[in-house]
């Protein structure tokens, strides 16, 4: 596990205690893509599949964690990240462990976000995350989140 992965996992477990109970682990941070692991056992529902609320949290946290790590790379430590809005779809059940994935947005979107934050102390960024069954690449969840960074 990379230093950034260990760092983010400790931040999540300290600042958002629910992530410990969910068994959330940071799998990796590579090529500006974040992957989180959610175990079925800690997040199971009455149908023996993953609870929709846990999937929502995993999707939100993948975006939050992605933004946290990218801001750290940019040397920005004075901001607070909040989720403002989220839309989620559950096309497939998660029948085992899950992996939440957040890739980087387009470069021009990121540059505009940074410029807005540096100028106004507040900026909004849309991130698209997805959750898959471990070992699959098929989307079980798709999530679009509006994240706000403010001083």
């Amino acid at each position: 596990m990379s230093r950034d992965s260990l760092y983010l996992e400790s931040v999540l477990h300290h600042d958002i205690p629910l992530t410990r109970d969910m068994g959330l682990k940071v799998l990796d941070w590579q090529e500006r893509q974040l992957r989180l692991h959610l175990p079925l056992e800690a997040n199971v529902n009455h149908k023996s599949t993953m609870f929709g609320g846990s999937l929502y949290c995993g999707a939100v946290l993948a975006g939050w964690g992605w933004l946290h790590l990218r801001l750290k790379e940019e040397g920005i430590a004075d901001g607070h990240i909040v989720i403002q809005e989220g839309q989620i779809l559950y096309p497939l059940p998660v029948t085992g462990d899950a992996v939440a994935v957040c890739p980087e947005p387009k470069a021009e979107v990121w540059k505009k976000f940074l410029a807005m934050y540096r100028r106004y102390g507040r900026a909004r960024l849309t991130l698209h995350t997805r959750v898959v069954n471990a070992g699959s690449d098929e989307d079980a969840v798709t999530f679009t989140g509006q994240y706000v960074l403010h001083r």
Side-chain angles (χ1 to χ4, degrees):
M1 188 184 280
S2 74
R3 176 180 288 144
D4 286 329
S5 297
L6 287 169
Y7 160 78
L8 179 61
E9 191 171 299
S10 78
V11 166
L12 288 170
H13 288 182
H14 179 269
D15 292 354
I16 307 170
L18 172 68
T19 60
R20 290 192 307 262
D21 294 333
M22 292 174 68
L24 182 139
K25 300 284 181 201
V26 177
L27 287 176
D28 53 52
W29 169 246
Q30 294 177 7
E31 298 174 18
R32 297 206 173 126
Q33 176 176 273
L34 178 64
R35 294 185 332 126
L36 305 177
H37 175 261
L38 296 166
L40 177 62
E41 186 178 341
N43 298 286
V44 71
N45 66 18
H46 63 290
K47 299 281 191 184
S48 299
T49 60
M50 194 162 293
F51 174 57
S54 294
L55 291 166
Y56 186 87
C57 286
V60 168
L61 290 165
W64 189 96
W66 185 93
L67 185 51
H68 188 87
L69 289 175
R70 277 299 283 122
L71 291 169
K72 184 176 181 273
E73 288 180 355
E74 294 285 341
I76 296 173
D78 64 347
H80 302 280
I81 304 166
V82 294
I83 180 81
Q84 182 181 49
E85 184 180 331
Q87 296 88 34
I88 194 161
L89 295 171
Y90 301 91
L92 293 174
V94 175
T95 56
D97 290 358
V99 178
V101 182
C102 184
E104 72 176 323
K106 290 183 165 63
E108 59 271 13
V109 170
W110 179 247
K111 286 178 186 167
K112 182 180 176 185
F113 170 79
L114 285 178
M116 292 291 286
Y117 182 69
R118 288 180 172 135
R119 183 168 184 183
Y120 300 109
R122 182 179 170 90
R124 183 176 294 117
L125 181 67
T126 299
L127 293 172
H128 302 279
T129 63
R130 61 195 199 100
V131 181
V132 298
N133 280 281
S136 172
D137 197 42
E138 219 176 339
D139 291 349
V141 171
T142 58
F143 176 80
T144 301
Q146 293 270 355
Y147 295 83
V148 174
L149 178 67
H150 64 89
R151 284 198 185 103

